[in-house]
């Protein structure tokens, strides 16, 4: 079992979820709708100075689904290269 975490600008949330559900129809996931933080190139704090915000989606998936999630994120990154989309995967016990 693997944990996949996706952190991205809220503006691409629906694109990511739609493509995940198309690619892995039975995927189960949790979305934390508002995530603040500092990335490599900018901050997303939901303030007047730094108004943008991220979301976090995480899912526990089997090993064969990990490359599918990577492909989904690569496709969305290709479409929206400046939205700071990150995917982290780790093996879970």
């Amino acid at each position: 079992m693997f944990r996949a975490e996706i952190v991205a600008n809220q503006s691409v949330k629906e694109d990511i979820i739609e493509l995940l559900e198309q690619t892995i129809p039975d995927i189960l996931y949790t979305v934390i709708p508002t995530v603040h933080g500092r990335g490599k190139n900018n901050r997303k704090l939901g303030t007047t100075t730094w108004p943008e915000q991220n979301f976090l989606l995480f899912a526990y998936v089997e090993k064969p689904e990990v490359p599918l999630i990577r492909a989904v994120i690569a496709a969305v990154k290709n479409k929206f290269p400046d939205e700071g989309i990150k995917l982290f995967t780790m093996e879970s016990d």
Side-chain angles (χ1 to χ4, degrees):
M1 185 71 73
F2 286 77
R3 178 180 169 115
E5 293 183 3
I6 301 165
V7 181
N9 190 300
Q10 287 182 339
S11 65
V12 297
K13 180 171 74 173
E14 296 306 319
D15 294 89
I16 290 172
I17 291 172
E18 182 178 322
L19 196 49
L20 277 174
E21 290 179 349
Q22 286 175 2
T23 305
I24 308 169
D26 60 343
I27 191 169
L28 303 175
Y29 57 85
T30 298
V31 173
I32 300 172
T34 304
V35 179
H36 296 159
R38 179 179 173 188
K40 183 177 178 182
N41 296 320
N42 58 33
R43 298 168 195 236
K44 306 233 171 113
L45 302 175
T47 65
T48 303
T49 305
W50 303 99
E52 294 185 46
Q53 299 181 89
N54 283 337
F55 76 97
L56 169 68
L57 180 149
F58 66 92
Y60 290 92
V61 297
E62 298 298 330
K63 188 174 184 174
E65 295 172 319
V66 173
L68 299 174
I69 292 174
R70 287 187 179 136
V72 164
I73 296 307
V76 178
K77 278 184 169 184
N78 189 48
K79 187 175 177 183
F80 303 102
D82 299 322
E83 296 304 325
I85 303 164
K86 301 295 182 212
L87 168 66
F88 305 94
T89 58
M90 60 207 87
E91 194 162 10
S92 172
D93 291 336

